[in-house]
Amino acid sequence: MSALDSVRDLAGTAAHPPTTAAVTGLQCRGCGHQQPATATHLCEQCFGPLEVAYDYEVIRARISRRRIEAGPPTLWRYADLLPVKGGDVVTLDEGFTPLIHARNLGAELGLRNLHLKNDTVNPTNSFKDRVVAMALNWALQNGFRTLACASTGNLANSVAAYAARAGLRAVIFIPADLEPQKIAATTVFGATLVPVAGNYDDVNRLCAELASIYDWAFVNVNMRPYYAEGSKTLAFETAEQLGWTVPDHVVVPVASGSLLTKIRKGFDELYKVGLLDDEPQVRVSGAQALGCSPVAEAFIENNDTIRPVKPDTIAKSLAIGNPADGYFALDVVRTTGGGFGAVSDGEIVEGMDLLARTEGIFAETAGGVTVATLKKLAADGVVRPDERVVVYITGHGLKTLEAVAPTSGPTATIAATLDAFHEAFDIEES
Ligand SMILES: [Zn+2]
């Protein structure tokens, strides 16, 4: 046995989870094989992707709308449906973000019943706090001391913050060309930042190699099954905020594709455990940037194979050229009767502007992708005027300020006199 193997072996034995009684193990999404809930993301039979399996009868017996409504105003109110125990968790009060009825944006797009799930107000200003909270607490409950990740930026911010909160070490790998704001918002938490000369897919590959050697909790590698479950809470909250009903149609940004598939899974689970009266029929649509749209392309070309691409877009948080869950996302969009859109960098900036000036929400480039795609899908009749639509806004605009800076600068600088003001600005007095 090599030194590497013995390290790996130790990591394996350390990773037996004291998770909820409802977790029955990990199940392969490819071949269906069940295995124990350890720190791994690959099926021991076929190397397919794993996800957490639950005993829904146990959850059904325990859970109720009242029990949830009496819980904390965070995603931990849904602990019964999550892979780590609630109660004694390390948290920054992530989740339970506002669902806003977007009347102004809806009027612009011809949609009468449009809602925005505003995840820009999470602790580190993106939806990643949901998934990191899962990975962190699973890692803590299983004795890990280092939290690591491959990131396009938002995940880096979140992992750094949550590691600081928990007193763990953070080691974070990013593509070297990341936005400066996201780099500063990571190192401020004391994380070790490792810029890699390459794109996200290169960084991710390196992390997969490191995860097999180091006994670290890589949140989106060996923690991935637990991590990804955090995204379901977006569906749980949406349904609860709509009075325990589901939307007709959701529009979700697609990077790895995991978020989109988990939102669908979340609605289905609510029904399985008896929290919804009717079986959910939610159409799911995906949004990508034209400069990185492998899943949208497969959908539009009616192809089952997702061809990896080299990303070239200002929407860096969605720039995953070889999306791990792309196939599953494609399948969800097809089977639910949704659509896919891909938008240019110019349309992304327009989408950010449109959202900000109609609803007062400043979203990062990913939000611009989602709003611009919504606009396209509404114009094409894929999103229908009478549908109750929920759109997921996943990150804050201050993270990608340079995207709007060229078009959103000051109009003019004036002398401090009334004359100068009147000369430079033509604004009505009331
Ligand atoms: Zn398998």
Side-chain angles (χ1 to χ4, degrees), residues 232 235-236 261-271:
K232 294 188 309 190
F236 300 158
T261 61
K262 291 293 179 175
I263 286 176
R264 164 76 183 292
K265 185 183 180 192
F267 290 130
D268 288 347
E269 281 188 345
L270 290 181
Y271 179 67

Side-chain angles (χ1 to χ4, degrees), residues 214-237:
Y214 288 79
D215 189 14
W216 295 350
F218 279 84
V219 302
N220 51 350
V221 184
N222 54 344
M223 297 292 113
R224 190 172 179 86
Y226 314 102
Y227 160 92
E229 289 289 283
S231 293
K232 294 188 309 190
T233 56
L234 274 166
F236 300 158
E237 291 173 19

